[in-house]
Amino acid sequence: MLLKVIVILLPLIHAAKSVRILGVFPYPAYSHYQLGDKILKELARRGHNVTVISPYAEDKPVNNFQQILLTNTIAEARGLKKDLFTIHSKLSPLEKIWTVDTLGITFSEKTLNDSKVQALLKSNAEFDAVIVHQFATEAYKGFCYHFKAPCISVVTMLAPNWINPQMGNPGPPSYVPELFVDLSSPMSFLERCYNTFAFLAVALVTHLYTLPKHNQLLQTYFPNPPNIYDVYYNSSLILVNSHLSINSPVPSLPNIIDVAGYHVNEPKPLPDELRNLMDRAKNGIVYFSMGSNLQSKDMPVDKLNMLLSAFAKLDQTVLWKWEDENLVGKSENIVIRKWWPQQDILVHPNVKLFMTHGGLLSTIEAVYHGVPILGIPVFGDQETNLASVVKGGYGLSVHYNELSEDALSVALEELLKNPTYSRNVKQRSKIMHDQPMRPLDTAIYWIEYVIRYQGADHLKSVARSLSWYQYFLLDVILASIVLVYLLMYLTKCLFHFVTKNVNSIKGKHKV
């Protein structure tokens, strides 16, 4: 009888703890989407009711998980990918900042203008929390305001400095590198000058261009909209795809949580054919993939020939993610597939090196599994990610624009023959694994914590409400200068007064 009561009550208890969560992850870059997808599906698995605005359709239904599917951004994003090797690889840091912000505004408007999203905003739906993808998409925080729910952000980059002002978190450019400059801490004097310029440029672009544009989107697409600054400084929690094992320590308030590695899955058995191939590779495996946005088949012929020539010199077997049926000119040690189970491959003990574009997820996976890195950065944050790799001594980087057969061969030989890189990355892997709980459990704990405490205002810094001149104590400095000046002036007046009276007294005595 007692057992029957427990069986009946358990679903009721579980339902009482479950909450309604809206996920806003419509950015048409799968590497960004999968980070939100991992968290949202884990929340659904734990019994919460999850609705997500998504550009990627699910293959099969997921319990407690429903999509508001957008399709108007995928085609445009697919067109942009063709320019990544030719145009985006040559952008300066300032151009990268401008490009990211412009793309964020463009895709935010396409999302908010979608009829299904407008139907959601006009519905009677209620949510206990809103989780947004934060990547130059500040207008999405309007969902938090509209549904009167705590705002939780997921940042897919390494602790980017642009999250600091909205949280009141310190991020001095003296030792915290900007996202789109290829620097890592510590920095030289000239590097700090350059980083400070980038810091100021980001601040100016954000407040003079990006936020006003997102404010226009708020006013256009949300009913009874707030001003952008009312939501910009009102995040309850930010989950950052970062960790001490992959970047230098930076200051973090208690509501900025590092969760790098949470997307890494438990390894699955390799297909028999692939496992046999890797087991038989007596000199080891070099795994080469340029990620999900970049495609090797779109490389110019001269760059491809450089890669083919460098690989032909290797004794190792090269597994190459090549998105076409054939690769003309490949040597016998090269094996191509349109898709490889990357995470499962990196687990294999025969993998000696991971050649990558330097995307953050690939970098994290390499460190997680203890595999040295040879990076070929092309655009975005890839140079910054690889700068940390090189500084940490567990990989090398050859920029795409500087790629040559000689440079590639030298880097390959150094990484494959010098055991220092392998030792360093295995030490980094230990650091990444040495955490009190799994990164995914950490992310879920803090999300549920914020929901339990209705936004957890006690975690929010008072610094958010300070104006810029108050935050940097410019008013205190100015007041101090004025006070010192007044004291000096009064001292001078007093001195003149005293000396004048003393001289007057002396004159009277002489008479």
Side-chain angles (χ1 to χ4, degrees):
M1 180 64 184
L2 179 60
L3 181 60
K4 289 183 178 179
V5 172
I6 292 173
V7 170
I8 293 170
L9 288 179
L10 272 177
L12 298 177
I13 294 170
H14 196 267
K17 292 182 179 179
S18 68
V19 297
R20 298 153 300 181
I21 296 171
L22 174 65
V24 186
F25 285 82
Y27 204 87
Y30 189 75
S31 58
H32 289 245
Y33 173 75
Q34 73 178 103
L35 289 172
D37 186 61
K38 183 82 171 184
I39 288 176
L40 293 167
K41 282 181 179 168
E42 179 64 16
L43 287 165
R45 191 187 70 80
R46 298 188 185 202
H48 301 300
N49 296 307
V50 175
T51 301
V52 58
I53 300 173
S54 164
Y56 299 100
E58 291 295 321
D59 294 331
K60 55 185 178 181
V62 178
N63 289 337
N64 305 319
F65 186 91
Q66 61 176 328
Q67 291 184 299
I68 297 174
L69 191 61
L70 310 184
T71 56
N72 61 347
T73 57
I74 295 291
E76 183 166 345
R78 194 175 293 124
L80 291 171
K81 290 179 182 180
K82 295 180 180 179
D83 298 329
L84 293 177
F85 285 113
T86 55
I87 297 176
H88 290 268
S89 63
K90 300 174 183 178
L91 297 179
S92 68
L94 188 57
E95 289 172 324
K96 289 179 185 177
I97 294 165
W98 187 267
T99 300
V100 166
D101 284 1
T102 302
L103 287 175
I105 293 164
T106 298
F107 289 126
S108 294
E109 180 158 26
K110 287 183 178 296
T111 296
L112 296 173
N113 191 35
D114 190 278
S115 59
K116 293 184 284 294
V117 173
Q118 284 299 305
L120 173 68
L121 290 171
K122 294 171 184 176
S123 71
N124 296 321
E126 295 182 352
F127 297 99
D128 300 292
V130 176
I131 304 176
V132 301
H133 171 218
Q134 185 163 332
F135 186 64
T137 51
E138 306 302 339
Y140 293 163
K141 293 183 180 180
F143 288 102
C144 309
Y145 182 92
H146 178 76
F147 291 112
K148 299 179 175 60
C151 204
I152 299 167
S153 297
V154 175
V155 177
T156 54
M157 304 293 190
L158 277 177
N161 224 350
W162 40 260
I163 70 172
N164 291 323
Q166 59 192 279
M167 302 298 283
N169 191 59
S174 55
Y175 66 93
V176 180
E178 280 298 317
L179 180 61
F180 295 121
V181 297
D182 55 340
L183 300 174
S184 62
S185 192
M187 294 177 276
S188 67
F189 170 74
L190 290 178
E191 287 174 336
R192 283 186 286 116
C193 290
Y194 184 55
N195 194 56
T196 301
F197 168 77
F199 173 84
L200 294 172
V202 169
L204 288 172
V205 171
T206 298
H207 290 281
L208 298 181
Y209 172 71
T210 309
L211 289 180
K213 287 289 186 182
H214 280 286
N215 191 49
Q216 290 177 14
L217 298 181
L218 273 178
Q219 307 308 315
T220 302
Y221 295 107
F222 283 89
N224 304 313
N227 184 274
I228 188 65
Y229 285 104
D230 293 331
V231 294
Y232 182 69
Y233 293 108
N234 201 34
S235 290
S236 295
L237 174 69
I238 292 187
L239 301 173
V240 186
N241 197 24
S242 183
H243 188 257
L244 293 168
S245 57
I246 53 174
N247 65 291
S248 299
V250 294
S252 289
L253 288 166
N255 56 350
I256 299 177
I257 308 296
D258 286 347
V259 290
Y262 75 87
H263 78 284
V264 179
N265 299 314
E266 289 294 322
K268 302 182 187 69
L270 293 168
D272 290 342
E273 181 186 358
L274 176 57
R275 177 176 53 80
N276 291 333
L277 171 66
M278 297 185 72
D279 288 345
R280 291 197 305 267
K282 61 181 181 179
N283 295 312
I285 298 286
V286 173
Y287 174 64
F288 177 40
S289 170
M290 294 296 282
S292 57
N293 289 317
L294 291 164
Q295 296 196 342
S296 300
K297 70 180 183 64
D298 293 331
M299 279 187 179
V301 174
D302 61 325
K303 300 290 187 184
L304 282 176
N305 288 335
M306 293 173 192
L307 290 165
L308 289 167
S309 298
F311 289 158
K313 300 174 186 176
L314 296 177
D315 296 325
Q316 288 75 21
T317 299
V318 179
L319 304 183
W320 185 340
K321 178 178 172 287
W322 175 259
E323 302 81 11
D324 211 337
E325 298 296 336
N326 298 300
L327 175 56
V328 177
K330 75 180 182 70
S331 51
E332 291 184 0
N333 66 327
I334 297 175
V335 182
I336 60 169
R337 294 285 187 279
K338 291 183 179 181
W339 179 86
W340 295 101
Q342 178 166 298
Q343 294 187 31
D344 303 325
I345 284 175
L346 293 175
V347 176
H348 198 284
N350 262 1
V351 176
K352 306 299 180 185
L353 181 65
F354 181 15
M355 283 185 61
T356 169
H357 60 313
L360 185 53
L361 299 192
S362 292
T363 303
I364 290 169
E365 289 164 19
V367 172
Y368 190 91
H369 295 298
V371 180
I373 294 169
L374 173 54
I376 305 176
V378 179
F379 74 102
D381 63 334
Q382 295 161 11
E383 289 179 78
T384 304
N385 299 337
L386 290 168
S388 295
V389 169
V390 174
K391 183 82 78 172
Y394 55 97
L396 296 174
S397 176
V398 180
H399 195 281
Y400 172 79
N401 291 330
E402 299 167 2
L403 191 65
S404 68
E405 181 184 339
D406 289 342
L408 193 57
S409 295
V410 168
L412 283 166
E413 184 174 8
E414 170 68 11
L415 287 162
L416 290 169
K417 293 185 177 180
N418 188 341
T420 303
Y421 299 96
S422 182
R423 285 197 299 268
N424 289 342
V425 77
K426 283 177 170 53
Q427 180 66 16
R428 294 273 173 169
S429 181
K430 288 181 181 178
I431 295 170
M432 181 174 281
H433 284 271
D434 195 354
Q435 301 187 51
M437 66 173 78
R438 295 187 312 145
L440 183 58
D441 292 332
T442 300
I444 301 302
Y445 168 81
W446 282 105
I447 290 169
E448 293 178 336
Y449 181 95
V450 164
I451 295 170
R452 280 197 301 274
Y453 292 99
Q454 292 84 46
D457 286 345
H458 57 281
L459 296 179
K460 296 177 181 178
S461 171
V462 176
R464 297 172 306 119
S465 61
L466 298 177
S467 59
W468 64 271
Y469 63 85
Q470 291 174 321
Y471 182 83
F472 290 107
L473 289 176
L474 296 183
D475 53 342
V476 174
I477 293 170
L478 180 60
S480 300
I481 292 171
V482 171
L483 181 60
V484 170
Y485 176 80
L486 288 174
L487 287 173
M488 291 175 64
Y489 178 76
L490 290 173
T491 302
K492 180 181 178 181
C493 290
L494 181 61
F495 178 77
H496 280 299
F497 176 78
V498 170
T499 53
K500 181 179 179 181
N501 280 278
V502 169
N503 291 333
S504 176
I505 291 170
K506 285 181 179 180
K508 289 179 180 179
H509 280 300
K510 287 181 180 180
V511 174

